Amino acid sequence: MSELAEISIGELARGIRGVTYKPHQLKDDVGLNDYYLLRSNNIQNGTVDFDDMQIVEKSCVSEKQKLIDGDIIVCMSNGSRPLVGKSALINSLQGNYCVGSFCSSFRANPGVNPNFVFQIFRSGNFKFGIDVILSGSAINNLQNKHIEELKFIIPASIEEQNQIAKILSKSDAAIAQTEALIAKYQRIKTGLMQDLLTNGIDEHGNIRNEQTHRFKTEKGLRVSEDWEVVELESVCNKIADRD
C-alpha cells in the first residue's frame, strides 16, 4: 500500500460552470451544431438519464463547456438541499452535450483517473463536506471553488488510485445489473398479479383465459364462469373515514 496524502479536489479535477441561456435560445429540435443540455433532473443514481433534455443553440456554449467522456457532472444548486452535490460520470457520448447553469462539470486533471475522482464524489465524506458547506448558508448553492477546496486523505500513488477506481467501478456495474434484474422481475410480477387477480387459476394451477376456459359477463365484467361479482362492501367493513 502506498503512502496516503491529503489532496484537494482541485488537485484532481477542475470545475466548469454550466451554460446560461435565454428562453429564445432554446430549441424544439436539435440541429447539427446545437447542444443537448443536461440539468439536475438528468442526474439519477450516479448515471445520466437522457430523458427530458433541453436543446440550446451553439452560441450559448463555450468550447470548454462542451462535455467530453470522463467529465463528472454535479448538481450545484437545487431547491432541495439533499440533491445538491449529486453527480454522474459521462461516458460514450454521441453528439454535443453541455450542462445547465445550476450544474457544473468537473474534468480530471492530466494523469488523473476520472473514475477515481467520481468515486470520491460518490463517497460519504464528499457528501459530508457538501453538508458542512451548505449548513452556513440559507441558499442551496455551491461554487466550483467550494468543491475544489474539499480535501481528502487518499493514496498518493496513481497506480493505487487506478486500482481502487477499477474495483469500485466493477461494484457499481454489478449493482446496476442487479437493480435492472430486480426491475425486470417486478414488471413480471405486476403482469402476473394482473392475470391472477382478474382471471384466477384453475384446479390444475393454470391461469384461466377465454381461449381455454369458460367466461361470462356479470355486472359489466368478464369473469370466469364459476366466479361471482360482488360489491366491495359485502366482503369488508369500513372502519373510519379519513380526515
Side-chain angles (χ1 to χ4, degrees), residues 187-212:
R187 292 192 297 270
I188 292 174
K189 178 185 176 182
T190 299
L192 185 60
M193 288 177 63
Q194 176 69 17
D195 289 338
L196 290 174
L197 297 177
T198 57
N199 297 335
I201 55 176
D202 61 21
E203 65 274 14
H204 303 295
N206 299 316
I207 297 176
R208 297 186 180 94
N209 65 76
E210 296 202 44
Q211 285 69 47
T212 58

Side-chain angles (χ1 to χ4, degrees), residues 18-208:
V19 171
T20 58
Y21 54 89
K22 297 179 180 178
H24 72 270
Q25 293 174 309
L26 291 174
K27 304 183 67 175
D28 295 327
D29 299 302
V30 63
L32 182 62
N33 295 315
D34 296 324
Y35 279 74
Y36 291 107
L37 185 137
L38 301 173
R39 296 165 293 165
S40 61
N41 61 290
N42 298 111
I43 304 174
Q44 300 291 337
N45 299 319
T47 61
V48 179
D49 181 351
F50 290 99
D51 292 332
D52 191 26
M53 293 185 296
Q54 291 185 332
I55 300 170
V56 294
E57 298 176 353
K58 178 183 178 180
S59 59
C60 301
V61 187
S62 68
E63 185 62 30
K64 70 178 182 179
Q65 289 175 315
K66 179 180 179 179
L67 293 176
I68 62 174
D69 287 346
D71 282 352
I72 302 161
I73 60 176
V74 181
C75 174
M76 304 292 281
S77 181
N78 196 288
S80 176
R81 178 168 291 189
L83 298 182
V84 178
K86 67 175 181 174
S87 61
L89 180 65
I90 294 293
N91 277 314
S92 304
L93 285 180
Q94 300 292 327
N96 298 324
Y97 287 81
C98 63
V99 294
S101 58
F102 289 165
C103 295
S104 284
S105 59
F106 281 78
R107 188 163 299 167
N109 295 333
V112 176
N113 189 330
N115 283 286
F116 180 74
V117 181
F118 177 57
Q119 295 302 333
I120 293 178
F121 276 70
R122 296 270 285 168
S123 69
N125 286 340
F126 178 82
K127 179 60 178 174
F128 176 77
I130 297 300
D131 289 342
V132 170
I133 294 169
L134 295 178
S135 66
S137 172
I139 303 175
N140 304 327
N141 183 47
L142 296 174
Q143 299 177 30
N144 288 337
K145 67 176 184 178
H146 292 147
I147 291 181
E148 291 173 351
E149 291 172 354
L150 289 175
K151 293 183 178 181
F152 300 87
I153 304 297
I154 61 174
S157 166
I158 296 297
E159 291 75 15
E160 189 167 349
Q161 292 177 14
N162 291 340
Q163 188 65 21
I164 290 172
K166 182 178 180 180
I167 293 171
L168 293 179
S169 294
K170 285 185 176 180
S171 177
D172 286 341
I175 291 171
Q177 290 174 355
T178 301
E179 290 176 342
L181 190 61
I182 291 172
K184 174 184 175 181
Y185 282 109
Q186 285 177 333
R187 292 192 297 270
I188 292 174
K189 178 185 176 182
T190 299
L192 185 60
M193 288 177 63
Q194 176 69 17
D195 289 338
L196 290 174
L197 297 177
T198 57
N199 297 335
I201 55 176
D202 61 21
E203 65 274 14
H204 303 295
N206 299 316
I207 297 176
R208 297 186 180 94

